[in-house]
Amino acid sequence: MSTTKSLRAVVAVPLSEEHCRLIERLEPRVEMVRDVSLTRPMRGPADWAGDPAHERTPDEQRAFDAMVDSAEALFGIPDVDPASLARTVAANPGLRWVMTTAAGGGGQIKAADLDRAALDRIVFTTSAGVHGGPLAEFAVFGVLAGAKDLPRLARQQAATTWTDRWEMRQVDEMVVLVVGLGGIGAECARRFHALGAEVWGTTRSGAPVEGVDRLIPLDDLVTAVAGADAIVVTLPGTDQTHHLIGAEVLAAVKPGVILASVGRGTVIDEQALLVALDEARVSFAALDVFEVEPLPADSPLWRHPNVLVSPHTAALNAKEEERIARRFAENATRLLDGEPLRAVVDTVEFY
């Protein structure tokens, strides 16, 4: 890949002036083209889609489309809308790179239904890895909550009931199986290793990962879960990972296993999980992601006594926008210098 002298990058989602200037400071060869009057206002931190109630006038929409169609690179999918991405890809033959603000942005690229020529012409990257630390902390929290029986403590406190003491589980006596050793999984492994757990991790490459004591081929998952005290799921949502944690895996787990999920909700078959919870094969599940989001009000997961529901908020952090801006600047430098970019989307499996 050859080097380039400059890069015209259009901000296609809400991004503060502070973070636009940060990118320009970190990589002066990038021109960050932005117009805050044309992007939807954020309702809170890292609200990349912006307020859906905000509507552009026809003139504003034409101006927004013209702006994104002038880009060599896009910071974010326009309005986080796959259809808008498809429109600008068709209209802009000069587009070279798109960075999604979502770690799981591969699904958004897939939903745009781009042809192979477009997928080969444009490099698509995600913010994968940026959220690793916060998500790993939630995974640790979830496993600790299960180990210390948080639901029982909460019930007893609500009932002002002082019972006899009971034995709690210790993380440093556990085998923790991390299903997926990408950016999030590696951060999970590092933290559980620091807490003294024996850490296993599934792998397709077989490459060693810091803090992982045993690498498990993904094909051996059903066998491996029988030896794990806790399972942490970090995988992206793809056709290959859909319901990977299903009836077969959950039938093979060590009774009383703790489950934490911080990847994509489609990896876990929720009906199979509910059966496993009711049969106490899974003693506790801490879930930040779900098959359908928002989680429907009639889902039994809301009311299950041994489930902790988090509304896909574990990654949200005051520094998230800055981390993603820094990732964009880093990858812009790589693009300009002809080096491989980080977190490139596989446009066959879309992860």
Side-chain angles (χ1 to χ4, degrees), residues 15-33:
L15 184 68
S16 71
E17 182 65 18
E18 172 190 1
H19 293 124
C20 289
R21 291 181 182 276
L22 172 64
I23 294 169
E24 291 173 329
R25 187 168 70 251
L26 292 171
E27 179 42 83
R29 292 173 291 177
V30 172
E31 177 194 6
M32 294 296 289
V33 180

Side-chain angles (χ1 to χ4, degrees), residues 102-173:
Q108 297 169 348
I109 306 302
K110 182 179 181 180
D113 196 25
L114 304 174
D115 61 28
R116 177 45 54 185
L119 293 171
D120 290 343
R121 168 171 64 92
I122 301 165
V123 179
F124 297 94
T125 66
T126 73
S127 63
V130 167
H131 310 89
L135 289 174
E137 286 196 8
F138 181 86
V140 171
F141 165 69
V143 171
L144 281 169
K148 308 308 177 187
D149 205 345
L150 178 62
R152 180 175 178 177
L153 291 169
R155 287 193 300 268
Q156 292 187 182
Q157 183 170 345
T160 62
T161 300
W162 185 283
T163 66
D164 291 337
R165 300 165 69 198
W166 73 88
E167 183 179 344
M168 293 183 172
R169 288 189 272 180
Q170 304 295 125
V171 173
D172 64 3
E173 297 173 353

Side-chain angles (χ1 to χ4, degrees), residues 82-328:
S84 295
L85 174 64
R87 189 210 60 77
T88 193
V89 166
N92 181 5
L95 185 62
R96 302 169 55 196
W97 168 39
V98 176
M99 188 191 81
T100 73
T101 49
Q108 297 169 348
I109 306 302
K110 182 179 181 180
D113 196 25
L114 304 174
D115 61 28
R116 177 45 54 185
L119 293 171
D120 290 343
R121 168 171 64 92
I122 301 165
V123 179
F124 297 94
T125 66
T126 73
S127 63
V130 167
H131 310 89
L135 289 174
E137 286 196 8
F138 181 86
V140 171
F141 165 69
V143 171
L144 281 169
K148 308 308 177 187
D149 205 345
L150 178 62
R152 180 175 178 177
L153 291 169
R155 287 193 300 268
Q156 292 187 182
Q157 183 170 345
T160 62
T161 300
W162 185 283
T163 66
D164 291 337
R165 300 165 69 198
W166 73 88
E167 183 179 344
M168 293 183 172
R169 288 189 272 180
Q170 304 295 125
V171 173
D172 64 3
E173 297 173 353
M174 287 185 174
V175 171
V176 177
L177 172 60
V178 180
V179 183
L181 288 174
I184 299 168
E187 289 293 329
C188 290
R190 188 165 66 85
R191 283 163 171 76
F192 282 108
H193 178 79
L195 289 171
E198 181 178 345
V199 180
W200 299 355
T202 63
T203 178
R204 290 201 291 186
S205 68
V209 176
E210 181 184 357
V212 178
D213 300 292
R214 178 184 171 191
L215 292 171
I216 307 290
L218 196 56
D219 290 344
D220 295 343
L221 179 61
V222 173
T223 303
V225 294
D229 301 291
I231 300 171
V232 176
V233 182
T234 73
L235 289 172
T238 69
D239 291 342
Q240 288 69 33
T241 65
H242 182 78
H243 285 187
L244 179 69
I245 308 299
E248 184 182 12
V249 168
L250 293 169
V253 296
K254 178 188 287 190
V257 73
I258 298 164
L259 181 68
S261 179
V262 292
R264 278 295 178 267
T266 54
V267 179
I268 296 176
D269 181 339
E270 291 175 0
Q271 292 305 310
L273 174 58
L274 283 162
V275 172
L277 283 159
D278 288 341
E279 295 178 354
R281 283 180 281 122
V282 175
S283 63
F284 181 77
L287 310 173
D288 184 54
V289 289
F290 301 88
E291 292 192 65
V292 176
E293 296 182 0
L295 183 65
D298 61 355
S299 170
L301 291 170
W302 281 112
R303 292 168 292 281
H304 200 286
N306 293 322
V307 172
L308 179 66
V309 171
S310 167
H312 203 147
T313 195
L316 192 60
N317 178 271
K319 289 288 187 179
E320 179 179 350
E321 294 165 35
E322 179 183 334
R323 291 192 187 105
I324 292 175
R326 288 182 179 275
R327 167 63 64 81
F328 186 84

